[in-house]
Every structure is written in C-alpha cells, then in structure tokens.
Amino acid sequence: AIREAEKGREEGGIPIGSVLVHQGKIIGRGHNRRIQKGSAILHGEMDALENAGRLSASVYKECTLYTTLSPCPMCSGAIALYGIPHVVIGENRNFKGEEGMLAARGVTLDILDDHTCVDMMERFIRENPKLWNEDIGE
C-alpha cells in the first residue's frame, strides 16, 4: 500500500495507496488517481477494488484491505457493500474516515499509526492544501 501511495505521489497525485489481499496474495492494488485521471471516485481503495476485477462475494468475505489512510465515506461504503471483514489502516491522524461505521458493521480495524504513512500525508497536505481540501470536500 505504501508503494502504491508513493506511485501516486510520483505521478503528481495524492499519496494514498491500497492493496486487496486474499489468502495471503495481493489480488488488487491501486492508488488515488483522482488527479491523474480527472476522476471523482478513484481513491486508493476504489482503485484497488477496480483493479481486482469482478469477484464473487465469497472472495471479498475472505479479504483484507490494506490502506495507507483511514477510508473516507465512499471507500468505507464499498468495504461494507462487498463485506470485506478486515481493514488495516496505515494512519488516521491526518484524516479519520468512517471507522465507526465500519466497526459497527463488524469490520475488524487495525490502525498502525505508521510514521511513513503519517509523514507522507502531512507533507502532501502542507505542500498541496488546495488539492487536499478539494479531495475531502472542504
């Protein structure tokens, strides 16, 4: 997920990355491509889900989603919709998404407070406040 976030930053985008893992294997990876693709929905988690392709509900129910930043309402909705039971969050200091909603739906959340993730987002927000505020709807 961190490598995906770094790819996004290198492309001039928002450094948020995600990977979808099933039975120990990455089956989808992605990063925020909202800027690069002019997209309203290609957050890191959404990109990883899209790149995993069409899967049966039974596969999603055995997956773990890794993401560098706490999932926003849209991404949390997709996690809930597909029944992904476990989300590993790199950090939630710079943005705390819908963790309460996910927990209420039975999703196991592991929040790592990873300094690489924290530092990457702090730097991006400091250097690109307009882009950051546009992405989170402020």
Side-chain angles (χ1 to χ4, degrees):
I2 291 171
R3 283 195 298 266
E4 285 295 321
E6 290 169 343
K7 279 185 194 176
R9 181 183 61 209
E10 291 165 7
E11 294 171 358
I14 298 168
I16 302 169
S18 186
V19 293
L20 184 65
V21 175
H22 181 255
Q23 297 179 345
K25 180 182 174 198
I26 295 174
I27 60 171
R29 61 178 65 237
H31 52 274
N32 188 302
R33 295 179 194 237
R34 199 181 60 74
I35 294 166
Q36 300 92 309
K37 299 282 186 177
S39 172
I41 62 168
L42 278 182
H43 287 191
E45 299 90 340
M46 301 300 279
D47 195 38
L49 289 167
E50 179 69 14
N51 290 329
R54 189 171 155 212
L55 303 170
S56 72
S58 63
V59 173
Y60 290 116
K61 291 181 187 331
E62 296 177 344
C63 284
T64 298
L65 182 78
Y66 294 81
T67 183
T68 58
L69 188 66
S70 183
C72 75
M74 174 180 66
C75 297
S76 294
I79 291 163
L81 175 68
Y82 291 112
I84 297 169
H86 187 199
V87 177
V88 178
I89 298 168
E91 70 107 341
N92 65 358
R93 288 190 207 182
N94 287 294
F95 177 78
K96 186 169 183 177
E98 295 298 318
E99 295 170 17
M101 182 273 284
L102 290 171
R105 299 212 34 157
V107 176
T108 300
L109 302 174
D110 291 324
I111 301 162
L112 304 180
D113 197 30
D114 181 89
H115 291 290
T116 300
C117 295
V118 172
D119 294 344
M120 190 170 9
M121 282 311 303
E122 280 180 354
R123 180 177 174 200
F124 178 82
I125 293 167
R126 183 176 58 251
E127 294 176 356
N128 303 280
K130 184 176 179 187
L131 286 176
W132 173 247
N133 288 327
E134 175 186 304
D135 192 46
I136 62 169
E138 290 188 10

